[in-house]
Amino acid sequence: MADEQGAGRGGSAARPAGGLDPHSGDVWVFAYGSLMWNPGFAFAERCEARLTGAHRTLCVYSFHHRGTPEQPGLVLGLDLGGSCRGIAYRVAAADWPQTHAYLTEREQISGVYREVTRRVSLLDGSGREAPAVAYLVNRAHPQYARGLTLQDQLHLVRRSHGKSGPNTDYVVATVKALEGLGIRDAALSFIVHHLAGGHGAPAELPAGDEEDTLP
């Protein structure tokens, strides 16, 4: 979900999807980063959702779209522990082979993400749960950014630029998408606050707004 899509690798044929809806044959995809504001595929339904067992964090070095190998940027991954609110997209069964090929090229070009299936809660008041395809960071991959402080993250985001533009644009767009859902991600909000010239901690959202939970 990291905007680390690669050009020049063709999509692979879709295998049976772990996020398959047993009733319709449709497939759910969980989005937590750039897929929220730039999905790039057709979907039949879009719904706020929560995934438990992983949290959103800037934990992937970007060598292509938001940085370079010499000056890497940072993009988002789902790392183990906690929970994450985002968007679940339901993709029609007929569209899944093309969508899966697109997502494979976008999310798995370097192997820094693992395609997994996780159960998500759909936050539309229906009480529904669904298995969803999600992309978790591969902690064994050299692009996994382990143990960075917020100041480290801010430094990398502020200075980096890749094929898709400034790293700052990626982080700001993600925070705007989260704010549109009423979600405050404390770490991302801190970074955007300082990118805009702020000092100290950013202002809190009003009571009732929810922030992702960490381990």
Side-chain angles (χ1 to χ4, degrees):
M1 225 50 47
D3 204 34
E4 271 304 273
Q5 54 204 41
R9 171 176 169 180
S12 60
R15 57 178 175 74
L20 185 73
D21 185 310
H23 303 294
S24 67
D26 296 348
V27 179
W28 289 92
V29 177
F30 181 72
Y32 57 88
S34 62
L35 285 179
M36 293 192 300
W37 46 269
N38 181 28
F41 57 84
F43 51 88
E45 184 178 357
R46 177 184 184 274
C47 183
E48 293 181 39
R50 182 194 306 280
L51 181 149
T52 299
H55 63 282
R56 170 181 28 242
T57 182
L58 288 169
C59 64
V60 175
Y61 289 119
S62 174
F63 296 159
H64 303 289
H65 284 269
R66 301 294 170 175
T68 65
E70 298 75 25
Q71 191 163 294
L74 273 181
V75 289
L76 292 163
L78 274 181
D79 207 355
L80 297 177
S83 66
C84 179
R85 275 179 65 190
I87 297 293
Y89 297 103
R90 180 170 59 84
V91 179
D95 293 331
W96 178 245
Q98 179 180 357
T99 300
H100 186 256
Y102 166 76
L103 289 171
T104 297
E105 183 172 358
R106 174 170 174 159
E107 302 295 337
Q108 294 187 294
I109 187 65
S110 69
V112 71
Y113 295 103
R114 298 184 297 114
E115 183 183 298
V116 300
T117 301
R118 292 290 184 269
R119 199 149 195 89
V120 299
S121 301
L122 304 178
L123 305 179
D124 59 354
S126 67
R128 291 182 296 166
E129 293 188 342
V133 173
Y135 293 92
L136 270 66
V137 68
N138 177 1
R139 287 186 164 191
H141 197 278
Q143 282 178 250
Y144 177 53
R146 183 189 300 272
L148 297 180
T149 67
L150 283 177
Q151 291 296 338
D152 293 335
Q153 294 174 29
L154 175 62
H155 173 71
L156 290 170
V157 168
R158 178 178 277 149
R159 73 174 190 173
S160 301
H161 190 289
K163 293 179 180 178
S164 293
N167 204 168
T168 54
D169 289 356
Y170 168 87
V171 175
V172 169
T174 300
V175 168
K176 286 182 178 178
L178 292 171
E179 289 176 346
L181 299 174
I183 302 169
R184 178 179 178 271
D185 183 298
L188 295 181
S189 295
F190 173 91
I191 290 169
V192 169
H193 175 74
H194 283 270
L195 289 173
H199 301 281
E204 298 290 335
L205 287 181
D209 291 282
E210 185 170 349
E211 148 178 25
D212 282 7
T213 60
L214 301 178

